[in-house]
Amino acid sequence: MRAISKIGVGTTGAAIFIIGIAVWGVSTTYSPAHGASSSAEPFAASDMQDVVNSYCLSCHNDALATGNFSLQSIDFNNPGNHAEALEKVVKKLRAHMMPPSDMPRPPFETYEIMTTWLETELDQAWAANPNPGRITPLHRMNRYEYNNTVNDLLGLDADVMALLPGDPTADGSFDNIASALPFSTAHMERYMSVARQLTRLATGLAPLNPTVTTYEIPLYMNQNWRQSDDMPFGSRGGIGITHNFPVDGEYMVRVHLETNYQDYIKGLGWPQQLEVRLDGRLLERFSIGGEAPGTPTPLSFSGTGEPGTIDWEQYMITEAGEGLEVRIPVQAGPRLVTVSYVRQQLEPEGVPQPVQGGRLRANSEAYLDNQKVHAVEIGGPYTSVSAYSDSPSRQKIFSCYPQQQAEEQACANDILSGMARRAYRRSVTEDDMQLLLEFFSRGREQGGSFDAGIQFALEYMLSDPDFLIRSYSDPADLAAGEVFELSNLELASRLAFFLWSAAPDDTLLELAEQGQLTDPVIYEQQVRRMLADSRGVSTLVEDFAAQWLNLRRLDEVQVNSVVFPNYDMSLIEAFGQETQLFIADTLESDTSVMELLGANYTYLNERLANHYGVEGIYGSRFRKATLPNSNQRGGLLAQGALLTVTSYPGRTSPVLRGKWLLDNMLGTPPPPPPANVPILPDAEEGEVPTSIRERLARHRQDPICFTCHTVIDPIGFALENFDVIGGWRDFDEVGNPVDPNGKYPGGVEFTGYADLRDWMLGRPQRFAHTLTEKLMTYALGRRVDYYDQPMVRQIVRDAEAENYSWSSLVLGIVESPAFLMSITSSDTSVAGNGVGSSTRNTTE
């Protein structure tokens, strides 16, 4: 290894963070094609020019500029001057995607020599003139960040994401990209509305009127076993709800049962026990069913046959579901309400029959089946026991409480100054406190109480742009284009929103205010502390990984239940739970990220184990389980969540799966398709269905489609042994034998999932590079650009020594110039400006 340089940019009193751009000992000797010369010489700029002239310029010249890209004017003696273009070349060469497969290509081994030479030259050029990129001056919180931050600040456990406008994703990647996050009047109105609801709940002000919240269970949710760890042992079906009760008072819990499309309540052919519990305490047990009077309709009541007698019809439609309501006194705060059936272990008599289902799930036979809960309503308070309750949120907010009116102003100042410091993520100024105390006085006057004044001031605080927006300003004394370090407080916010998707805690703020956060030892200690915190794991799993792997699309999945009768919402939920627990396990144990591809274990419950064909797993609880067949299961590529979101409702899609692999696993996303591309035609009536491989082969005959699909399709075929919902198969949906053979550009061939996984495991730097790019995009809140690639490569090289552990990648990112530094705007008129710039902390 040969060190090129170590650079640091710092200010007086600040620690200097350095990055070394190193060149690793990869051979760059080059022999002319076809073995024309036996003497190997070091690869040089002239050799690179020869290769480009021979294989690239026929398409990528100034005249044709295929793909709007030309290499004709590139000076390979000074590659740093063409870094933007050459980083694109590196990515294509690393993937063996160019030249196209139908064009002459250089020898296979030449690809590694060329890319190593280009990367070395580009890294040297970056080290000589480092460019950390420019931080976006204004960065609004997205919904996930807002939800986490207000809950931490107010001591709540509320989900308000559905109450806020959706956040766009930049190029379909992440929804925390600063430049893509709008801040409109509509956003401000919703933030103000949500702030009022949350602060009234947190301060314990009673609602102006009783409210009713409805919690529905999806139609396709299976309710034949214990639904979650929140539910009582020995229960089945139903729902567990953590509901925030605003004040001590009387509340109502009402249960609605699931019906079929004729409004008949399902499962009334025999008596079943329904329990309502609060924090595990039994409130009421109802016996439902088995008491139908009169003459019933014929057993098949899915829309045909004669109706039953009037009294039977009334019982089936209304009477059996009436009175499923309890009224109870509840103390304020988050409480667990569960509604579930007592599980009765029954074995049907006779020969087992296939599931009888109508064309829609709402038509299904269910008279002698299990009943199901459709929805639970929680309403109130109908009477208030006390004016103010001692809830966890009040304990967090009211650091003091006045005993007489003369003490109110001082106590309000104490409460609001502490809350504002955490909300604004900086020291509070006199102007801040003057404005907040004005709102307190107005709220005190209008609401008639000290608590109402605090609520009104907090409502303003959570609508203040200083809370909603992270602002980064350029130092006023620097010229345009100069590199500078972020302040301690700016760094604290950036770090917290990366690892926790929330504001800094008191520990981080105190270190930043004292100017200690930029000490390298303290900085690393804080990063490791935050990674070990449960918030670090949940953020990287629920937000980063969910977007990187497209797991959020699980809620939108539509599956043809006629073709796949084993599908239900319980299976889809299990898919998501499996992947989340699996990734969380690798984070908590700080294992190699290559475990994501090659692990021989996963997390299963009985439902998912049966689907995967794994024996010995019982019950609804998820547990870590070793997989018996590594040729069929293991790692992310074989998990149902990822296979389902890359399929169509009735068939698999090698195109969607191939594109997903290229983009999310290999870091070489294909270009977007041209407009008006026709879908693959289905077989006509009476025609023998052809395999998806044959249909795609015909599709590639179109010259417009050929270039991209030649790369996408072959790698997607490797996952064809998995059906739409991730089950293993040897025949496709129409009975054709599955052919999982595929290849990667450059001639690498593999047979199915196991070969593809092993090929990727044999090239850990490729996957680590892709994951680092994705994680860095998420961390920076901006797209990773060409000038970031030298830093990405350095992070990956350093992480190799630690077997590509999660912490090595995260530490590499947060210690990189791209995270710690910024560059002043080329427009000098914006230097030093931005929301909150007047309060920029200068402690370094």
Side-chain angles (χ1 to χ4, degrees), residues 253-562:
V253 179
R254 180 184 295 129
V255 183
H256 298 274
L257 302 181
E258 188 173 290
T259 63
N260 77 341
Y261 82 110
Q262 288 182 308
D263 293 329
Y264 289 151
I265 297 172
K266 297 180 179 181
L268 293 182
W270 55 293
Q272 300 174 49
Q273 309 299 311
L274 181 71
E275 295 183 341
V276 180
R277 294 174 180 266
L278 177 69
D279 289 335
R281 178 171 59 90
L282 179 65
L283 302 177
E284 191 70 57
R285 179 182 291 125
F286 301 96
S287 180
I288 308 167
E291 300 176 344
T295 304
T297 189
L299 184 58
S300 176
F301 57 79
S302 296
T304 61
E306 296 296 325
T309 57
I310 298 274
D311 52 354
W312 186 89
E313 293 276 335
Q314 289 176 337
Y315 177 81
M316 291 292 296
I317 294 174
T318 58
E319 292 177 4
E322 290 179 343
L324 304 180
E325 177 182 318
V326 294
R327 284 192 175 235
I328 46 166
V330 183
Q331 289 184 327
R335 299 282 181 260
L336 176 63
V337 177
T338 60
V339 177
S340 60
Y341 287 93
V342 176
R343 186 175 183 184
Q344 296 170 276
Q345 303 288 1
L346 300 175
E347 188 68 28
E349 294 181 350
V351 178
Q353 299 296 311
V355 176
Q356 298 295 309
R359 184 170 55 85
L360 301 175
R361 188 59 64 98
N363 298 355
S364 297
E365 299 285 7
Y367 185 58
L368 295 175
D369 203 347
N370 284 330
Q371 296 168 18
K372 298 173 70 175
V373 175
H374 167 61
V376 175
E377 293 179 354
I378 300 178
Y382 296 104
T383 59
S384 181
V385 176
S386 62
Y388 302 110
S389 308
D390 191 25
S391 64
S393 56
R394 282 184 60 85
Q395 294 175 20
K396 184 159 189 174
I397 292 170
F398 290 95
S399 56
C400 59
Y401 202 86
Q403 300 302 312
Q404 51 189 353
Q405 190 167 353
E407 300 172 351
E408 289 189 358
Q409 194 77 2
C411 183
N413 187 82
D414 182 73
I415 291 172
L416 295 175
S417 61
M419 296 292 289
R421 173 177 171 270
R422 294 192 295 272
Y424 297 154
R425 306 171 291 277
R426 56 171 172 78
S427 300
V428 182
T429 66
E430 292 184 5
D431 290 342
D432 293 329
M433 289 309 304
Q434 181 179 349
L435 188 57
L436 288 170
L437 289 172
E438 287 176 7
F439 274 91
F440 163 76
S441 299
R442 289 167 56 187
R444 173 72 175 84
E445 180 180 351
Q446 295 170 4
S449 69
F450 175 80
D451 302 66
I454 294 296
Q455 180 274 325
F456 197 57
L458 292 177
E459 180 182 333
Y460 163 75
M461 188 186 299
L462 298 190
S463 307
D464 190 338
D466 272 1
F467 170 70
L468 297 171
I469 296 175
R470 309 198 299 276
S471 61
Y472 303 89
S473 55
D474 296 350
D477 57 344
L478 294 183
E482 287 195 46
V483 174
F484 64 94
E485 281 190 340
L486 300 183
S487 73
N488 275 261
L489 285 171
E490 289 171 338
L491 187 57
S493 285
R494 194 171 213 192
L495 194 59
F497 278 98
F498 167 34
L499 294 178
W500 287 349
S501 284
D505 63 0
D506 287 335
T507 301
L508 209 57
L509 275 177
E510 288 171 6
L511 289 170
E513 289 170 338
Q514 296 165 8
Q516 296 183 37
L517 189 58
T518 48
D519 180 288
V521 175
I522 294 176
Y523 186 67
E524 181 175 340
Q525 289 173 348
Q526 289 304 303
V527 173
R528 292 190 181 277
R529 175 182 72 89
M530 296 173 73
L531 269 177
D533 190 284
S534 60
R535 288 172 290 181
V537 175
S538 62
T539 292
L540 292 178
V541 171
E542 296 173 4
D543 199 40
F544 165 70
Q547 296 185 80
W548 165 45
L549 300 173
N550 297 345
L551 295 181
R552 288 184 177 179
R553 284 203 57 237
L554 273 176
D555 294 335
E556 308 164 8
V557 162
Q558 300 291 325
V559 176
N560 188 328
S561 59
V562 175

Side-chain angles (χ1 to χ4, degrees), residues 43-53 56-57 59-63 65 68-90 93 114 117-118 121-122 786:
F43 193 82
S46 59
D47 298 314
M48 189 71 214
Q49 187 67 64
D50 290 342
V51 173
V52 169
N53 291 344
C56 306
L57 285 186
C59 296
H60 297 292
N61 54 64
D62 291 345
N68 295 318
F69 188 71
S70 174
L71 292 169
Q72 187 170 334
S73 302
I74 300 294
D75 178 10
F76 288 100
N77 288 304
N78 296 287
N81 296 338
H82 312 279
E84 184 172 6
L86 291 180
E87 288 291 358
K88 295 178 182 178
V89 172
V90 167
L93 292 179
M114 288 190 295
W117 182 85
L118 280 173
E121 294 293 320
L122 291 168
Y786 72 92

